[in-house]
Amino acid sequence: MSTFLKQFFTWWNGNQLNFRFHLWRNAEKVGEDEFGNVYYQGGKDSEGRPRRYVVYTDISEPSLIPPGWHGWMHHKTNVAPPSAAYEAYEWQKSHRPNLTGTVSAYRPKGSLHHTGERPRVTGDYDAWSPGE
């Protein structure tokens, strides 16, 4: 399927054409992140703050927004990461994809999918049974 048709008929493959037309008329480009997502700002929201938008590179995946851009998108800061005044905090981690549903997903002890045996129930546990 061509890129044009994907953008015309689906919202999860990039952005629809009407959204891009809106950005072209009402927003200015602020920057781009390491994943190729492009960030825009333009217009005002209901609280009088500037509207902020992201155009994803490929599939619309909000977990691909890096921490600095996430703070800017949600109005936690007015300094966007490409700005010289932007400084990342030491506790900010680089992006890791959501691995839920994959072989690499987190599986704590006691999980049915955890390798090995489940821990034994200790004496401080009383099983509930109906009618008690």
Side-chain angles (χ1 to χ4, degrees), residues 13-121:
N13 289 306
N15 296 102
Q16 289 182 323
L17 295 177
N18 61 347
F19 179 71
R20 290 184 184 255
F21 179 72
H22 171 76
L23 287 178
W24 171 72
R25 290 182 47 231
N26 303 319
E28 67 179 54
K29 182 178 176 181
V30 176
E32 195 172 319
D33 66 20
E34 62 265 26
F35 303 113
N37 301 325
V38 183
Y39 299 87
Y40 296 90
Q41 180 171 280
K44 299 280 183 195
D45 66 9
S46 61
E47 297 176 15
R49 300 177 303 186
R51 287 189 184 273
R52 295 176 176 170
Y53 308 92
V54 60
V55 174
Y56 298 100
T57 304
D58 189 22
I59 192 164
S60 295
E61 178 55 58
S63 70
L64 286 177
I65 296 178
W69 281 109
H70 184 272
W72 179 81
M73 286 288 297
H74 294 276
H75 297 279
K76 302 298 180 196
T77 180
N78 286 326
V79 180
S83 168
Y86 175 77
E87 207 172 301
Y89 293 101
E90 63 183 44
W91 47 263
Q92 286 178 322
K93 307 250 186 239
S94 58
H95 176 266
R96 288 185 4 203
N98 183 351
L99 301 173
T100 302
T102 68
V103 176
S104 302
Y106 174 66
R107 294 181 169 92
K109 288 182 181 177
S111 165
L112 296 175
H113 297 289
H114 184 71
T115 56
E117 265 191 53
R118 294 185 66 181
R120 287 268 187 232
V121 176

Side-chain angles (χ1 to χ4, degrees), residues 3-22:
T3 304
F4 174 78
L5 290 175
K6 281 183 182 178
Q7 290 178 352
F8 193 77
F9 290 109
T10 63
W11 56 266
W12 57 87
N13 289 306
N15 296 102
Q16 289 182 323
L17 295 177
N18 61 347
F19 179 71
R20 290 184 184 255
F21 179 72
H22 171 76

